[in-house]
Amino acid sequence: MRKYAVIYKSVLIENLQYMINVIMGFISYFIMIFIFIQLWNYMYDNPEELIAGYTKTQMIWYVMLTEMIWFGSRSTTVSRQAASDVRGGNIAYHVGKPYHYTLYILSKYTGEWSIKLPMYAVLVVVMGVLMVGTIPGLSIVGLIAGILSLILGVTINAVFKLTISLFSFWIEDSNPFQWLYDKMILVIGTIFPIEIFPVSLQPVFKLTPIYTVCYGPAKLFIDFSGDKFLEILSAQIIYLSVGFLIMFFIYGKGAKKLYVNGG
């Protein structure tokens, strides 16, 4: 694990030098959140009215938190770089290195979001308190549970995006699949909570990564309960385990294909 810690540290230090790029992304985030605040202000005639079980304050905080995860964890490392390494043949160089390629990529990615996500979190806290108010009923336990769930959710998302990229061993371009996956996460789990959708579809969504990436962490922040925490944590552990198994399997098959074809 030490070698992956070194990779993480080097990427962390590198990204500290380009913090201005992260700050520039704040503009897009602010515009999007401002639009959604106006939208929900229009939707809620009464601030105490409930829509899908959410008050106006909870709904706005939900969107702010999920968009924070979306903006703060975006990276081309687990998508374009991995796919480019496979298509360009650079993967053959990494196969012979004393580390597992997928864990190398995940270590790099973790070093990136470890800078971006906390910066977006500070922005969200400031914007939220000034424009909406504090999260009703937020406790220390809920905060810790939300942070743990957030870390797991970001990792699950990275594992699945990297797995999609590894399909480049067999297909020319995995970007269309990345696009479909991103739009599912964005529309279903990020912009709108699962409870907004028809009751018949909600159990289906809970069986997908959508439930664990953005929805789960945000739900724990704004409406924590012990039962909900155990439900989301269990789902995240299952998806993380299954995701790693699939990722390692596909990479193993791809690496074997390289050996058979002579690199």
Side-chain angles (χ1 to χ4, degrees):
M1 294 298 294
R2 184 178 179 181
K3 52 181 171 288
Y4 301 113
V6 172
I7 295 170
Y8 165 80
K9 184 178 179 180
S10 63
V11 174
L12 188 70
I13 295 173
E14 179 184 343
N15 278 268
L16 282 172
Q17 302 175 15
Y18 300 99
M19 293 178 64
I20 188 65
N21 294 336
V22 179
I23 295 174
M24 291 299 293
F26 288 176
I27 299 174
S28 298
Y29 178 86
F30 177 82
I31 293 174
M32 180 170 291
I33 293 303
F34 180 79
I35 292 172
F36 273 102
I37 288 177
Q38 304 310 310
L39 170 65
W40 290 116
N41 279 333
Y42 175 78
M43 295 285 288
Y44 281 87
D45 293 330
N46 182 348
E48 299 304 319
E49 179 186 358
L50 295 179
I51 295 180
Y54 293 79
T55 64
K56 183 177 78 170
T57 301
Q58 287 179 319
M59 187 67 79
I60 293 174
W61 267 106
Y62 176 88
V63 175
M64 292 182 70
L65 290 167
T66 54
E67 290 293 343
M68 173 196 77
I69 298 171
W70 178 262
F71 275 83
S73 63
R74 287 190 304 178
S75 172
T76 59
T77 299
V78 291
S79 54
R80 294 182 183 178
Q81 179 184 337
S84 178
D85 283 344
V86 174
R87 291 198 305 268
N90 195 41
I91 188 69
Y93 167 79
H94 290 283
V95 168
K97 291 293 183 178
Y99 52 69
H100 199 283
Y101 176 75
T102 60
L103 298 181
Y104 161 76
I105 291 293
L106 290 176
S107 298
K108 287 188 62 178
Y109 172 71
T110 304
E112 293 174 355
W113 71 253
S114 293
I115 294 296
K116 293 172 59 179
L117 201 50
M119 292 179 66
Y120 272 97
V122 172
L123 174 65
V124 167
V125 170
V126 174
M127 284 181 57
V129 171
L130 293 178
M131 302 176 70
V132 185
T134 58
I135 300 176
L138 178 63
S139 64
I140 295 297
V141 176
L143 181 63
I144 295 173
I147 292 174
L148 173 61
S149 180
L150 185 153
I151 294 172
L152 289 173
V154 169
T155 306
I156 291 169
N157 189 46
V159 168
F160 277 93
K161 286 183 69 64
L162 179 53
T163 300
I164 294 172
S165 295
L166 293 176
F167 279 110
S168 294
F169 278 114
W170 295 274
I171 61 177
E172 181 66 24
D173 187 6
S174 62
N175 284 331
F177 299 99
Q178 294 282 4
W179 185 87
L180 287 173
Y181 174 82
D182 285 342
K183 292 304 174 283
M184 286 179 59
I185 297 292
L186 181 62
V187 174
I188 299 176
T190 304
I191 297 178
F192 302 106
I194 289 176
E195 291 86 353
I196 287 287
F197 296 90
V199 176
S200 59
L201 293 178
Q202 293 178 24
V204 177
F205 294 154
K206 289 183 178 181
L207 295 175
T208 68
I210 294 167
Y211 184 68
T212 62
V213 174
C214 290
Y215 169 85
K219 182 67 174 180
L220 293 176
F221 278 119
I222 66 171
D223 189 21
F224 174 81
S225 71
D227 291 340
K228 179 61 71 173
F229 173 62
L230 291 176
E231 178 184 316
I232 292 171
L233 181 63
S234 299
Q236 289 182 319
I237 291 174
I238 291 172
Y239 262 99
L240 192 59
S241 302
V242 172
F244 267 111
L245 287 174
I246 296 174
M247 181 184 71
F248 287 142
F249 176 78
I250 292 178
Y251 175 77
K253 287 290 186 180
K256 184 178 180 180
K257 184 173 181 285
L258 282 178
Y259 287 127
V260 171
N261 295 328

